[in-house]
Amino acid sequence: MTTFAIKIRLNRPLWPPLIAVLALATRIWGEPGLSQPHLNPQPRSAEETARIATARAAPKDFTFSEPFEDRPAGAATVPYNSGDNAFSHPAENLENRLDFELGRALFEKLWVASPSSTRASDGLGPLYNTRSCSNCHINDGRGHAPDGPDDTALSFAVKLAVPAASDARMAAIEDYLATAPEPAYGSQIQDFAAPGHAPEARIRVKYGQRRIDLIGGEASLRIPQLTLDDLAYGPLDNAVMISPRVAPPLLGLGLIEAIPAEDILALADPEDRDGDGISGRANIVWSVEYAQPMLGRFGYKAAEPTVRQQAASAFQTDLGISTPVFSDPWGDCSPAQTTCRKAQHGDADIRGYEADATTLDLVTLYSANLGVPARRNVDDPHVLRGKQIFHQAGCPACHQPKFVTHRLPDRPEHSFQLIWPYSDFLLHDMGDGLADPRPEARATGREWRTAPLWGVGLAQQISERAGFLHDGRARTLLEAILWHGGEAQAAQSHIRSLPVKDRHSLLSFLESL
């Protein structure tokens, strides 16, 4: 691992991140590296390590595109199309298309409450946010925030937690922030309910405005103000911590899962020993499936370790559907919601769970193999100039352009691919403007996982209302940039000071991703 990490880290001093990696791994398991028990990777040869170092090196000449830059998911990249289904195609190198389409059908299926004659589709709720996965992940892309207090909150969720004294499972993890579900409402507000039950609350968002001066003009940022009206199960706990979220896009999740953990950890510099102002940290989370701590990769705070656990968590909290991973038939209903817990559920038949292992596996396969569209205009001079500005502003310090996935004999569609997600998958302090009070595992309220940028230029082609950032407050990519603070403040300030032409070039680059 040490030799590999030394070779791949080309744009920052190496020894502080490596010390942090080794120290973190030693604290958790007593030996370097983080376990990935769901994979069966082959070790890399010295020749492969050298090839990877060359492929991942930062560009020095911005007058032409890099090799394979137009194929952000490697052999899994799908041809670009201009429709709103551009994110919904199977990875180009996926052979198991039949199971993918079965997974799509389950992802789009409308679940119904129990009791029902449609036994294979019952078990919804009783409290829930949506009847279908695809209702939130619109066309497999991102959701949107309500545009105002009278708009619906579909594809928008409100997470809840209260502080907890400790979590014995994670006692060995330094800086772990223990939380528990809110006593009356659980871990998420469910704003829909089956007949005979009351929705937990009505979610409302209104916005203030903040003007930002730019060279050659100004921008207006929306400042969201969230309220929960008509609370049906009593007042919220005084210590409640609230975090609103829009549904994230589902691009390339299986490839992200296939990135070696040590490659992500090699980018961490939690003490900022190199003095560049960037101090990414790994989130370490509990794996329910493997009963051990694992590197978090998915979600706005990297709180989920695998695609399968992420899918199971969404079944539980968004739909109130039980799975082999989260088996409570009442979903996210709290112990205080006795009517919900005593209701008839959909797990009393041959399935055993409302979404059995086969269903969960098929939805996982579908989610893990949605193709990333090919880049557009990679050799356009404005795009290349924008890419240069992206690097000059220091954006790759967090939005790491490239990785090479594990060599995986059991998952050839994800195996040994040069991919361009533009994320380090680490936590970064993004400042007061984006902070909320709710931590997740090691992530504080100010820390967020670096958002992958692949496909970001197509977000509003997929869904014209798609918003950016964790709560969808940003309506444009420029607004998203202007919300960056904390560790990203220097990059944001650099971009604010750009001449209009250069700012447009930067946006052209982002729109090409």
Side-chain angles (χ1 to χ4, degrees):
M1 175 191 137
T2 304
T3 303
F4 178 81
I6 289 173
K7 289 188 176 184
I8 66 168
R9 191 57 170 152
L10 300 176
N11 61 335
R12 290 167 66 186
L14 292 166
W15 61 269
L18 286 176
I19 289 174
V21 170
L22 294 173
L24 174 63
T26 300
R27 285 199 301 270
I28 299 173
W29 285 284
E31 61 182 23
L34 283 174
S35 173
Q36 292 176 274
H38 55 306
L39 302 179
N40 182 31
Q42 292 181 341
R44 288 169 170 169
S45 68
E47 178 186 0
E48 286 176 340
T49 300
R51 286 170 55 200
I52 290 167
T54 300
R56 291 190 62 199
K60 297 180 180 178
D61 189 335
F62 294 92
T63 60
F64 53 86
S65 62
E66 297 173 74
F68 311 113
E69 190 172 1
D70 60 334
R71 298 180 61 79
T77 305
V78 299
Y80 165 69
N81 76 68
S82 59
D84 62 7
N85 66 341
F87 289 176
S88 299
H89 301 287
E92 191 73 3
N93 61 346
L94 179 67
E95 294 186 1
N96 190 359
R97 300 296 178 94
L98 176 59
D99 281 354
F100 178 89
E101 293 302 331
L102 290 172
R104 185 200 301 277
L106 291 165
F107 191 83
E108 296 176 351
K109 179 167 77 167
L110 293 173
W111 293 80
V112 296
S114 298
S116 169
S117 60
T118 56
R119 298 290 296 275
S121 298
D122 70 347
L124 178 70
L127 305 180
Y128 59 95
N129 294 105
T130 182
R131 293 180 57 200
S132 168
C133 304
S134 60
N135 282 347
C136 290
H137 300 280
I138 300 169
N139 297 325
D140 300 302
R142 64 189 70 222
H144 55 265
D147 284 334
D150 297 323
D151 196 7
T152 63
L154 195 64
S155 78
F156 182 85
V158 177
K159 302 286 187 179
L160 307 175
V162 295
S166 64
D167 185 334
R169 303 171 306 178
M170 302 295 283
I173 307 302
E174 186 175 309
D175 302 327
Y176 185 83
L177 300 166
T179 61
E182 200 279 338
Y185 292 88
S187 62
Q188 184 167 302
I189 290 290
Q190 278 84 33
D191 53 346
F192 290 92
H197 302 268
E200 291 182 326
R202 179 169 181 180
I203 300 168
R204 294 179 182 269
V205 181
K206 62 180 180 179
Y207 298 94
Q209 298 292 324
R210 176 185 169 199
R211 297 287 177 180
I212 299 290
D213 292 328
L214 302 168
I215 300 298
E218 66 176 15
S220 177
L221 303 184
R222 298 193 303 180
I223 303 173
Q225 299 167 8
L226 172 73
T227 59
L228 299 174
D229 294 343
D230 305 323
L231 290 165
Y233 299 91
L236 290 164
D237 189 279
N238 289 334
V240 69
M241 301 176 288
I242 300 175
S243 183
R245 309 286 173 86
V246 293
L250 301 178
L251 295 180
L253 298 185
L255 293 166
I256 293 171
E257 190 173 72
I259 298 171
E262 58 266 31
D263 290 8
I264 294 173
L265 286 171
L267 301 173
D269 184 12
E271 306 300 328
D272 191 23
R273 293 176 184 268
D274 61 6
D276 69 350
I278 306 298
S279 51
R281 301 195 308 138
N283 203 0
I284 308 301
V285 301
W286 184 254
S287 167
V288 177
E289 292 184 271
Y290 299 101
Q292 67 178 52
M294 287 177 63
L295 175 66
R297 299 168 186 253
F298 304 104
Y300 288 106
K301 290 185 181 286
E304 298 291 357
T306 66
V307 179
R308 194 170 191 264
Q309 182 165 316
Q310 182 186 45
S313 178
F315 268 123
Q316 179 195 40
T317 57
D318 298 339
L319 289 91
I321 297 289
S322 64
T323 67
V325 179
F326 297 106
S327 59
D328 290 339
W330 49 76
D332 189 43
C333 292
S334 73
Q337 294 168 332
T338 55
T339 302
C340 173
R341 290 207 169 193
K342 292 178 180 178
Q344 183 171 342
H345 302 291
D347 58 349
D349 57 28
I350 194 172
R351 292 172 296 166
Y353 305 95
E354 291 161 336
D356 61 14
T358 299
T359 296
L360 180 58
D361 288 344
L362 288 168
V363 170
T364 300
L365 184 145
Y366 175 76
S367 302
N369 289 287
L370 287 162
V372 181
R375 286 271 310 275
R376 288 82 51 215
N377 307 317
V378 293
D379 290 309
D380 181 280
H382 295 293
V383 170
L384 290 169
R385 173 59 180 156
K387 178 183 173 183
Q388 183 178 28
I389 293 166
F390 183 84
H391 281 258
Q392 290 172 342
C395 302
C398 300
H399 290 283
Q400 180 75 15
K402 293 173 274 186
F403 286 95
V404 174
T405 61
H406 275 303
R407 193 178 286 283
L408 299 170
D410 300 333
R411 291 169 55 169
E413 64 273 13
H414 302 140
S415 180
F416 207 63
Q417 299 296 315
L418 173 64
I419 62 173
W420 303 67
Y422 282 91
S423 173
D424 60 7
F425 304 100
L426 298 174
L427 301 172
H428 295 274
D429 183 334
M430 295 297 291
D432 291 334
L434 291 177
D436 69 28
R438 182 178 180 270
E440 291 187 59
R442 299 179 75 229
T444 69
R446 292 171 58 97
E447 289 181 309
W448 302 93
R449 181 199 69 159
T450 304
L453 296 182
W454 52 9
V456 73
L458 301 178
Q460 290 171 340
Q461 171 185 311
I462 303 303
S463 172
E464 63 181 5
R465 294 185 64 189
F468 303 100
L469 302 177
H470 67 281
D471 56 5
R473 69 179 69 183
R475 295 159 294 188
T476 67
L477 293 174
L478 179 59
E479 287 183 28
I481 293 168
L482 295 175
W483 273 109
H484 282 48
E487 295 176 41
Q489 183 61 56
Q492 186 249 69
S493 298
H494 179 95
I495 292 166
R496 280 182 64 184
S497 68
L498 290 173
V500 173
K501 183 178 179 180
D502 282 350
R503 191 164 67 242
H504 287 169
S505 292
L506 173 65
L507 294 174
S508 293
F509 167 67
L510 295 175
E511 290 163 0
S512 77
L513 295 178

